[in-house]
Amino acid sequence: MRIAYLVIQMPVPSEVFLSVEIRGLVALGSTVEVFSLRNRHSDYAKLISDQKLSDIPLHNFPLLSLDILEDIFYWARKKPLFLFQLLAVITLTCWRQPAVWLQSLAIVPKSFRIARFIERDQIEVVHAAWGHYPAVTVYLIRHLLPHIVITLALGAYDRASHHPMTVVAANQIDTVLTQSETFGDLIKNDWPKTTTPVQVILRGVEIEHLKPHRGTPQKPGLIATAARLLPHKGHQYLIRALPRILQTYPSAKLIIFGTGSYQAELAALIVQLGLGDSVTLAGHQPQDALFKAVAEASVFALVSDIDWVPNSVKEAMALGIPVVTTPTEGMTELVQDGISGLIAPCGDVNAIAACIIRLLDDPILAKQLSSTAIDHVEKFNIQRTSAQRDQLYRDLLAQKRAPDQASATA
């Protein structure tokens, strides 16, 4: 199969899961191209190497260029009124949010360019990895290239942003993909209330790459976390929990992996609480280095206010590190409290500290939880989830082609 991934930007430090997903499909024999709506990340070359994407065609486009204007005229000749239809839909859908409306309009020219690439390269499947701004391009592709199979992944950020075009696009594609039964129900019954079929495919992790790090000697009292540095990821709760942990374990350390816009606030909080010797903001690390570092921790904690079955928790579980997390939507499908990890209420600093102390106090419990987690997380193996995704695409292609084959036979 020839598959196009439609993303906001790729690669980026916080979305390694997309690289894993794409490599999983390539391993099964598909050709994958990636189309980004933003310009390249400032660390583009390094991230390409870190995320093993050197063999994947990655496309970025300027806001406007001569090539883009040629492509707009190309599609205008084929469908003369579509540009006006598209602009009208975006305006009627987004006018109440001027900034969203303007940014959505800005995507339109390069969306025509992307459609031209998809036609030229004979792409069979288009997968939008996000449902907000990529929904504009999805709508365009559906109307310009109706024979293409289109799927759209909806996640926690999509539900948080509620981009108006998501609803429009979700109801015009072939299948909405999500990674938990909880979110599947919300997508069908809450938002965007789509009538499009919703398919749950778990987001996979490369468990075979994690296995060699199991059994790494753990550093007593080391607490690790890995996530983008944003307020809703809850790093501030871990930092505020640390003084309570230090009362029992004076040598405890917290290491935070990730980058993001909340870094300055977190750094200021560390200084404010006098934790400069106990908390490290370690920034972004390549996957192999991250796995090695997390494998040395006694506890992995991710205590978000909003999240959706994050890969970092799966990876910690696969490494055999006991986890502490929060009951965000879908999380209990990954971590069962007291069985494969511990769950603390969102934002409850005392409860978060108590869960971490409990694991540091009771190595037998920590071992039991991590052993169960290793078995449970196997269903997230990228080989399994990629095979499910591959089969879904093949089934959708067969359904799409069936009417043409029937007509040809007749």
Side-chain angles (χ1 to χ4, degrees):
M1 280 183 295
R2 299 187 66 85
I3 303 170
Y5 259 62
L6 181 62
V7 302
I8 295 293
Q9 188 181 47
M10 187 173 179
V12 292
S14 59
E15 295 170 12
V16 179
F17 66 88
L18 283 177
S19 300
V20 172
E21 198 172 283
I22 288 168
R23 291 200 304 265
L25 288 169
V26 171
L28 292 175
S30 289
T31 299
V32 180
E33 296 184 46
V34 179
F35 296 88
S36 296
L37 296 178
R38 287 182 183 166
N39 294 330
R40 292 178 175 181
H41 191 278
S42 57
D43 291 329
Y44 181 81
K46 183 177 185 300
L47 291 169
I48 288 289
S49 175
D50 290 348
Q51 298 183 24
K52 303 177 181 65
L53 293 172
S54 57
D55 296 331
I56 306 296
L58 303 173
H59 304 285
N60 301 85
F61 305 101
L63 190 64
L64 198 63
S65 68
L66 181 59
D67 288 336
I68 287 175
L69 289 173
E70 289 176 354
D71 288 332
I72 292 173
F73 287 125
Y74 170 83
W75 290 113
R77 288 193 297 272
K78 285 196 162 191
K79 293 202 170 185
L81 299 179
F82 176 70
L83 174 58
F84 302 101
Q85 175 188 337
L86 175 61
L87 297 178
V89 168
I90 294 172
T91 299
L92 291 171
T93 305
C94 302
W95 68 271
R96 291 182 179 87
Q97 304 175 53
V100 171
W101 173 65
L102 287 172
Q103 290 181 65
S104 298
L105 290 177
I107 291 169
V108 169
K110 62 181 68 178
S111 295
F112 279 104
R113 181 77 169 145
I114 290 169
R116 188 74 176 95
F117 267 74
I118 289 169
E119 181 187 57
R120 184 202 68 187
D121 294 348
Q122 299 182 319
I123 298 293
E124 300 168 281
V125 177
V126 172
H127 175 64
W130 302 102
H132 38 289
Y133 289 103
V136 173
T137 311
V138 165
Y139 180 87
L140 179 145
I141 292 169
R142 168 52 77 219
H143 286 266
L144 295 183
L145 299 166
H147 63 285
I148 299 289
V149 167
I150 303 178
T151 59
L152 171 68
L154 293 184
Y157 184 77
D158 295 305
R159 282 185 50 79
S161 63
H162 273 220
H163 191 293
M165 282 296 293
T166 300
V167 178
V168 177
N171 284 303
Q172 297 200 4
I173 59 170
D174 297 285
T175 299
V176 172
L177 298 185
T178 186
Q179 57 161 320
S180 83
E181 296 292 344
T182 300
F183 265 74
D185 290 338
L186 290 170
I187 289 166
K188 287 184 283 188
N189 302 311
D190 177 38
W191 186 89
K193 289 187 178 180
T194 180
T195 56
T196 299
V198 177
Q199 178 74 41
V200 176
I201 295 182
L202 304 177
R203 180 172 289 158
V205 293
E206 295 174 305
I207 290 180
E208 296 306 314
H209 293 178
L210 292 154
K211 285 181 179 179
H213 298 288
R214 290 179 189 167
T216 297
Q218 296 176 352
K219 296 179 179 178
L222 178 61
I223 306 153
T225 188
R228 195 173 177 189
L229 304 186
L230 298 171
H232 69 264
K233 289 293 185 179
H235 300 301
Q236 66 273 25
Y237 304 135
L238 286 175
I239 294 169
R240 291 188 181 279
L242 192 60
R244 294 162 174 78
I245 298 168
L246 290 170
Q247 291 174 8
T248 306
Y249 290 93
S251 61
K253 305 286 185 184
L254 171 62
I255 184 167
I256 299 173
F257 295 100
T259 59
S261 59
Y262 201 48
Q263 182 166 337
E265 288 82 353
L266 294 176
L269 181 61
I270 292 167
V271 173
Q272 176 189 333
L273 297 178
L275 297 173
D277 293 333
S278 301
V279 183
T280 301
L281 297 175
H284 170 71
Q285 299 292 327
Q287 262 198 324
D288 289 341
L290 178 63
F291 295 161
K292 182 178 179 181
V294 172
E296 296 178 342
S298 295
V299 177
F300 182 89
L302 183 62
V303 291
S304 304
D305 292 321
I306 303 171
D307 223 320
W308 194 2
V309 202
N311 273 20
S312 60
V313 174
K314 299 171 200 168
E315 289 160 352
M317 293 169 72
L319 287 168
I321 307 303
V323 302
V324 173
T325 189
T326 44
T328 53
E329 292 171 329
M331 184 64 80
T332 54
E333 295 176 36
L334 174 62
V335 179
Q336 296 76 45
D337 189 31
I339 298 173
S340 55
L342 297 180
I343 296 180
C346 294
D348 190 332
V349 171
N350 289 329
I352 292 166
C355 286
I356 293 172
I357 291 170
R358 184 181 173 192
L359 291 175
L360 295 177
D361 277 344
D362 193 343
I364 294 176
L365 172 64
K367 180 64 176 176
Q368 290 172 343
L369 297 179
S370 60
S371 295
T372 303
I374 285 174
D375 294 335
H376 178 65
V377 82
E378 187 62 40
K379 70 179 183 178
F380 295 90
N381 194 318
I382 189 63
Q383 295 170 333
R384 174 178 174 175
T385 60
S386 294
Q388 292 170 338
R389 188 178 295 271
D390 180 86
Q391 188 60 54
L392 171 67
Y393 291 154
R394 293 185 186 281
D395 290 344
L396 291 173
L397 278 171
Q399 293 170 20
K400 188 76 79 171
R401 292 166 177 166
D404 293 336
Q405 292 172 350
S407 299
T409 302

